[in-house]
Amino acid sequence: MTLEILTSQDGSKKHWLNALYLGVVAFVLTLFCLELIIVSGRISPLWFSTALMTIVVFRAPAHRVPLLLFGCIAGTALANLLVIGPAVSNLKFALLNMLQALMGGIMLRALLDRRAPLDSLLDWGRYVVTAGIIAPFVGGLLALWLLSVSGTASLPFFSTWVISEVIGMLALGPVLLLWPLGKQENPVARHRSIETVLTLAITLLASYLSLRYLPWPFTFIVVILFWCAIRLPKFEAFLLFLLNSSFISLLLAFNLVNLGHDDRMLGQAGTWLPFLLVLIPSHVMALVMDAFQREKNHIAESETRFRNAMEYSAIGMALVSPQGNWLQVNQSLCRTLGFPAEELRKLTFQQITHPDDLNNDLQQLRRLLEGEIMTYTLEKRYFRKDGETVWARLTVSVVRDAQQQPLYFISQIVDISELKQSEQVNRRLMERITLANEAGGIGVWEWNLVTGELMWDKRMYELFALAPHEVPTYDLWLQRVHPTEQEYVALTVQQAIERRSAFHMEYRIGLSEGIRYVRTEANRILSQDGQIERMLGISQDITHLRALNDALFQEKERMAITLDSIGEAVISTNDEMQVTFMNPVAEKMTGWTQDAAAGMAISELLNITHGPAGARIHNLLLCQPPAEKTTPDLEEELVLHTADGGVFEVHYSITPLKTLTGESIGAVMVIQDVSESRKMMKRLSYSASHDMLTRLPNRLNFERQLKRLLSDAAVNQHQHVLVFIDLDKFKAVNDTAGHAAGDALLRELSELMQHHIRSSDFLARLGGDEFGLLLPDCEVDDVREVVQRLVTAINQYRFMWLDSIYQVGASAGMTQIDEHNCISNLVMSQADVACYSAKHAGRGQYHVYQEIQM
């Protein structure tokens, strides 16, 4: 707690509380020392309060030292007041202790590291000399001076003062210095607390027995404390030194032991000199053992790090004897060479080294052993266990003993087989690039701007028609450029140099055989000061590309005029089905301009539905170009909705665009406005399937529907009813009133019959005055009433024509369609027979085929 008070960074509100805590500690320590004086009747053999204040000055922040020292002085003065009584000397000697502590603490601040104050014997020596000798000696002189004023000064008092301060500083000071900074775990580790307590008990008992029964007891106490220093960590050892010092002081104060010293020169202080000589070697031993232990830990950590670094290294590592035997190998090396560790340790590196590389390796090894080099690195080949050859980069260094004799080699082996393969690939790649440049007619050049030297390869000489003996220069190259472009070319190069940038340009050169187009590209190479040092570039003859581009441009213009002239909408897309082109017809039909639609997904551009109010076709284009030309079913009624609300009945086709290698690069969509043709098709389709007089389905349409029901009955075992209806006395109306009246009667009766059947029923005119009726999903008994109502309605109908009233009737025949009766000719014949029976039975009624059979 004391050290936490010294180093805590609490707010100002707690500073006074910390000073109070420290005052309590000072009070307890002073009271302990004063009680020893009372018991022994002599000056205390040790004094702790000065040591406490010294450590306060050393460890506490400077701005907090006055308040904390005030707490210590208050505690010390209070203890003096309780033990000695009111006296000016109480405060006087407390202030003297404070001055001594200030001097010792300031010197310690200058000489020791506050984070590790006792990290070596040198630190301990500085602490002993400053706080343990100089400060107590100066404090003793000041105390002697104060006593000389009153005439009570004496040399024994001075020696006793100094020795008690020294013993207190040596006993308590190191414990306070070694106490961990901040809020850390208890400095006495939990796993050592029991051992520390047992050691303390043993040492206290041994110290008592030594002082009581043995001659030269402090010699044995030194041995005991040495044992503590060897057995325990540094802090625990110093803590036991403090407790043993306090215990021995109690024994001496209570006269439980009698050392029998009588030194008139030093007075009572002579008793404590051996005690002081015990602490000093014990401290030295504790610090020596701590240094030894830290060195041992450091060596162990180094060995562990080396072992881990070697074992878990991503590269192969090994220890090799001077004779070439593998002493130790890691897993990476085993994986590289393909040998298990046990098997590899039975071999030498010579046995698995490629013969072509062995001699070079042995020569480097000899130079390393002779001390000519400290390490060497080379690339060599090893034979794997499976017989394959592996390339490796080997780095070797030697470890020697104290007599500089080689102990073993440390070898680092990196698998570079892939690197070697890459180098081979790169070499072949450079060969291919060179061949490609030659095949593609690309010339390579380099221009040194510092010297002005211009270097061309063979292709550059050919490209610019330069003779082999001519030396290329910048002026010579510029003269080859067409006169109308020389200024542009020179300006481009000059700007690139000034801006320290690359350049790209196309220009013409005039040669004896005519004009040649050239493309030149160059990049700059900068010097260390950031200036352009060289330019490296290529030049290529693009005359044929220019001719091809001109031809393509002309062809593009012709195609653009053609697309603008045709009457169909044409939309081009890229490979992501985004619009790249639209002709004017496409702009009109979609309501989008080409600029507005550019980059838009074609599925978003086109709003095509099944019918004017149908659902939108979202998977129209599948969001990717088709593999081949696709068109929708011609019977689909596709409607294109424009952006302004208009509609077009359309038919479309999508054709993929592919490169020469078959790679898809987009698609072309052609959309036709088929509004007029679709209306014509609908009229033709309607005429082909309907009776134009009555607007009822005709016989062909009826037979198609009958075939569907027959199939349904056979496959799904559903039941349907077929009815034939024949008008009675229709011929009389035709003959009497004329064919116009007959046609009008047929139309009116068609409308009448449609009002007396179900919405799912199918009524058709089969020809003349014959009608057919299909009633799906029912039995004969279920529709008797429907058929009877239909026949009755026709029988009761009064037809008015030219002020004359005509009345006709109807006869009907029914048959059941089911899984046992589902042949077209058979059911048609059955219905016809039943209708014929109804006519001959008196007309104006219906008959069922089964009833006729019975």
Side-chain angles (χ1 to χ4, degrees):
M1 178 184 295
T2 302
L3 272 296
E4 291 177 0
I5 292 172
L6 298 183
T7 60
S8 68
Q9 301 297 321
D10 295 337
S12 58
K13 293 182 179 180
K14 294 187 177 180
H15 291 171
W16 285 95
L17 186 59
N18 291 338
L20 178 61
Y21 290 153
L22 210 59
V24 172
V25 175
F27 172 79
V28 173
L29 293 176
T30 305
L31 188 64
F32 172 77
C33 295
L34 292 175
E35 288 297 331
L36 290 181
I37 295 174
I38 293 174
V39 171
S40 64
R42 297 171 295 178
I43 294 180
S44 173
L46 70 170
W47 190 253
F48 287 144
S49 59
T50 307
L52 174 62
M53 288 189 284
T54 302
I55 304 306
V56 167
V57 175
F58 173 69
R59 302 196 68 166
H63 66 280
R64 295 185 52 199
V65 168
L67 181 60
L68 297 178
L69 285 181
F70 175 78
C72 293
I73 293 173
T76 302
L78 180 60
N80 285 321
L81 178 63
L82 292 178
V83 176
I84 301 174
V88 179
S89 60
N90 294 341
L91 181 59
K92 183 169 54 177
F93 284 109
L95 292 174
L96 182 59
N97 291 149
M98 182 191 72
L99 291 175
Q100 179 180 327
L102 281 171
M103 181 175 58
I106 292 172
M107 288 189 292
L108 291 180
R109 276 177 174 266
L111 297 175
L112 299 183
D113 184 356
R114 296 177 64 196
R115 293 170 298 181
L118 293 181
D119 212 30
S120 65
L121 274 175
L122 180 60
D123 292 337
W124 179 85
R126 292 169 178 170
Y127 168 74
V128 171
V129 171
T130 55
I133 297 177
I134 296 177
F137 186 81
V138 174
L141 290 177
L142 291 175
L144 192 63
W145 176 75
L146 288 176
L147 291 178
S148 66
V149 175
S150 59
T152 58
S154 64
L155 183 60
F157 171 81
F158 170 76
S159 62
T160 304
W161 174 286
V162 172
I163 293 177
S164 61
E165 290 283 1
V166 171
I167 295 175
M169 193 65 67
L170 292 179
L172 179 61
V175 176
L176 298 179
L177 286 176
L178 294 176
W179 199 289
L181 290 170
K183 297 180 179 179
Q184 300 179 3
E185 189 180 355
N186 191 314
V188 181
R190 292 180 180 177
H191 66 279
R192 284 194 167 272
S193 58
I194 297 177
E195 180 182 2
T196 303
V197 172
L198 291 176
T199 305
L200 174 62
I202 294 171
T203 55
L204 292 179
L205 178 60
S207 296
Y208 172 75
L209 295 176
S210 299
L211 291 170
R212 186 67 182 269
Y213 300 109
L214 296 177
W216 306 292
F218 285 103
T219 303
F220 293 96
I221 293 176
V222 169
V223 175
I224 296 170
L225 296 184
F226 273 17
W227 178 70
C228 294
I230 295 172
R231 185 173 183 82
L232 297 176
K234 181 169 57 176
F235 176 79
E236 285 85 339
F238 278 103
L239 181 61
L240 261 64
F241 298 162
L242 170 63
L243 296 176
N244 274 274
S245 301
S246 302
F247 177 69
I248 294 172
S249 298
L250 289 173
L251 293 178
L252 295 175
F254 281 93
N255 289 319
L256 296 177
V257 294
N258 187 6
L259 300 180
H261 290 282
D262 185 11
D263 193 330
R264 296 181 181 180
M265 175 66 69
L266 297 177
Q268 299 296 333
T271 306
W272 312 110
L273 284 177
F275 189 15
L276 181 62
L277 297 177
V278 166
L279 284 176
I280 293 175
S282 301
H283 284 196
V284 173
M285 178 58 71
L287 292 170
V288 169
M289 291 305 301
D290 176 70
F292 173 76
Q293 187 63 40
R294 283 191 285 117
E295 183 65 23
K296 180 180 178 181
N297 293 338
H298 176 71
I299 294 173
E301 291 174 1
S302 299
E303 291 178 351
T304 302
R305 284 194 297 268
F306 175 77
R307 189 180 302 109
N308 291 339
M310 178 174 178
E311 184 63 28
Y312 302 111
S313 174
I315 64 174
M317 295 189 67
L319 301 182
V320 183
S321 71
Q323 293 74 33
N325 298 96
W326 303 95
L327 301 177
Q328 186 176 347
V329 295
N330 66 354
Q331 292 299 317
S332 296
L333 181 60
C334 292
R335 287 192 296 269
T336 299
L337 300 180
F339 287 93
E342 297 77 7
E343 188 172 344
L344 192 59
R345 283 193 288 265
K346 298 177 182 178
L347 303 174
T348 63
F349 76 86
Q350 294 93 331
Q351 291 176 287
I352 60 174
T353 298
H354 194 281
D356 295 342
D357 302 328
L358 181 59
N359 186 47
N360 185 26
D361 194 3
L362 292 176
Q363 288 181 358
Q364 296 293 331
L365 199 62
R366 178 188 56 78
R367 296 180 61 199
L368 184 64
L369 290 173
E370 293 176 356
E372 297 180 12
I373 56 176
M374 299 301 296
T375 182
Y376 70 88
T377 299
L378 57 82
E379 294 179 358
K380 61 179 292 188
R381 287 163 289 180
Y382 288 99
F383 291 118
R384 290 173 51 89
K385 183 178 180 180
D386 56 12
E388 296 292 331
T389 301
V390 58
W391 274 98
R393 180 181 293 110
L394 172 66
T395 301
V396 181
S397 58
V398 63
V399 176
R400 302 177 184 272
D401 60 14
Q403 288 74 37
Q404 295 301 307
Q405 295 300 314
L407 293 176
Y408 53 85
F409 300 107
I410 299 178
S411 300
Q412 301 179 31
I413 301 172
V414 182
D415 186 354
I416 59 170
S417 298
E418 294 184 0
L419 179 60
K420 282 292 186 178
Q421 293 174 359
S422 299
E423 290 178 354
Q424 186 176 7
V425 170
N426 291 336
R427 184 166 54 253
R428 293 176 180 175
L429 179 61
M430 290 302 300
E431 294 174 355
R432 287 196 293 268
I433 291 175
T434 302
L435 292 175
N437 288 341
E438 293 178 357
I442 298 176
V444 181
W445 54 269
E446 183 179 350
W447 184 18
N448 190 322
L449 297 178
V450 178
T451 63
E453 183 182 7
L454 189 63
M455 292 177 288
W456 286 4
D457 68 353
K458 178 182 178 181
R459 176 58 187 163
M460 287 292 294
Y461 275 82
E462 296 174 355
L463 182 60
F464 288 89
L466 204 66
H469 65 276
E470 293 184 87
V471 178
T473 63
Y474 174 77
D475 294 334
L476 181 62
W477 166 72
L478 195 60
Q479 291 174 4
R480 291 288 198 276
V481 178
H482 195 276
T484 60
E485 297 182 355
Q486 286 182 356
E487 183 178 356
Y488 154 72
V489 169
L491 182 61
T492 301
V493 175
Q494 184 63 30
Q495 289 177 346
I497 295 174
E498 293 175 354
R499 297 172 183 173
R500 294 179 293 180
S501 63
F503 69 82
H504 167 86
M505 58 183 175
E506 295 181 2
Y507 53 91
R508 293 173 295 170
I509 58 176
L511 302 176
S512 57
E513 62 267 23
I515 299 297
R516 180 177 293 173
Y517 287 88
V518 176
R519 177 188 291 124
T520 295
E521 299 180 20
N523 205 345
R524 80 284 187 276
I525 300 176
L526 302 179
S527 61
Q528 293 183 351
D529 57 359
Q531 300 299 319
I532 293 185
E533 187 177 57
R534 292 177 296 151
M535 300 199 80
L536 185 64
I538 61 170
S539 295
Q540 184 180 12
D541 184 359
I542 59 170
T543 305
H544 64 290
L545 293 178
R546 274 301 187 101
L548 181 60
N549 286 338
D550 292 341
L552 288 175
F553 178 78
Q554 296 174 11
E555 185 66 23
K556 179 182 178 181
E557 288 295 306
R558 285 193 291 269
M559 290 184 63
I561 294 172
T562 302
L563 290 174
D564 289 346
S565 302
I566 64 175
E568 297 175 337
V570 179
I571 303 175
S572 297
T573 70
N574 57 18
D575 58 345
E576 296 181 357
M577 299 305 289
Q578 295 172 336
V579 176
T580 58
F581 170 79
M582 294 172 63
N583 70 347
V585 178
E587 291 180 338
K588 177 183 177 182
M589 293 182 67
T590 61
W592 290 82
T593 64
Q594 176 173 307
D595 293 338
M600 182 184 297
I602 196 169
S603 57
E604 298 179 7
L605 176 72
L606 300 178
N607 182 9
I608 298 180
T609 62
H610 287 288
R616 182 170 181 172
I617 304 176
H618 291 289
N619 61 343
L620 176 67
L621 304 173
L622 303 178
C623 299
Q624 59 182 5
E628 56 186 15
K629 181 176 180 179
T630 60
T631 57
D633 189 351
L634 291 176
E635 295 185 359
E636 288 190 86
E637 295 185 2
L638 300 180
V639 175
L640 172 63
H641 298 261
T642 65
D644 56 5
V647 294
F648 291 92
E649 295 188 12
V650 297
H651 174 71
Y652 69 86
S653 64
I654 308 175
T655 304
L657 290 176
K658 297 184 178 181
T659 62
L660 293 176
T661 59
E663 182 181 357
S664 176
I665 58 174
V668 175
M669 184 175 187
V670 178
I671 305 175
Q672 298 172 320
D673 183 0
V674 296
S675 301
E676 294 299 326
S677 61
R678 189 165 289 169
K679 290 178 182 178
M680 179 65 71
M681 290 295 296
K682 288 180 180 179
R683 287 196 294 269
L684 292 175
S685 176
Y686 186 84
S687 299
S689 61
H690 286 75
D691 175 48
M692 300 309 296
L693 175 63
T694 61
R695 302 295 179 183
L696 291 176
N698 59 15
R699 187 180 189 92
L700 181 63
N701 197 349
F702 180 81
E703 290 177 350
R704 186 162 56 244
Q705 294 298 324
L706 174 62
K707 183 177 180 181
R708 183 178 65 81
L709 294 182
L710 292 172
S711 175
D712 180 64
V715 176
N716 301 318
Q717 290 79 46
H718 291 169
Q719 295 186 350
H720 315 288
V721 175
L722 168 62
V723 182
F724 270 8
I725 302 172
D726 189 54
L727 299 181
D728 298 332
K729 299 182 288 184
F730 175 75
K731 187 175 182 300
V733 176
N734 235 1
D735 294 342
T736 304
H739 289 287
D743 292 345
L745 176 59
L746 287 174
R747 286 194 293 270
E748 292 182 12
L749 289 179
S750 296
E751 294 181 3
L752 175 67
M753 285 187 285
Q754 290 183 71
H755 285 93
H756 287 81
I757 62 177
R758 302 174 303 177
S759 59
S760 60
D761 298 338
F762 187 83
L763 178 65
R765 183 186 178 196
L766 303 183
D769 58 353
E770 295 180 352
F771 295 85
L773 178 62
L774 293 171
L775 297 97
D777 299 317
C778 61
E779 298 181 7
V780 169
D781 293 339
D782 299 331
V783 297
R784 288 176 182 271
E785 183 179 351
V786 176
V787 176
Q788 181 61 57
R789 186 167 60 247
L790 183 62
V791 170
T792 301
I794 296 174
N795 290 337
Q796 294 177 353
Y797 186 71
R798 299 294 184 267
F799 174 65
M800 179 70 70
W801 184 260
L802 299 178
D803 298 329
S804 298
I805 298 176
Y806 300 90
Q807 185 176 3
V808 296
S811 299
M814 293 189 295
T815 185
Q816 182 73 56
I817 299 175
D818 55 26
E819 57 182 311
H820 305 295
N821 189 35
C822 56
I823 301 175
S824 178
N825 293 335
L826 182 60
V827 296
M828 291 279 284
S829 176
Q830 291 173 357
D832 190 42
V833 170
C835 184
Y836 182 79
S837 299
K839 277 184 174 290
H840 286 274
R843 302 191 180 189
Q845 56 183 307
Y846 72 89
H847 272 225
V848 179
Y849 177 75
Q850 288 87 340
E851 294 179 356
I852 297 175
Q853 295 300 317
M854 292 178 63

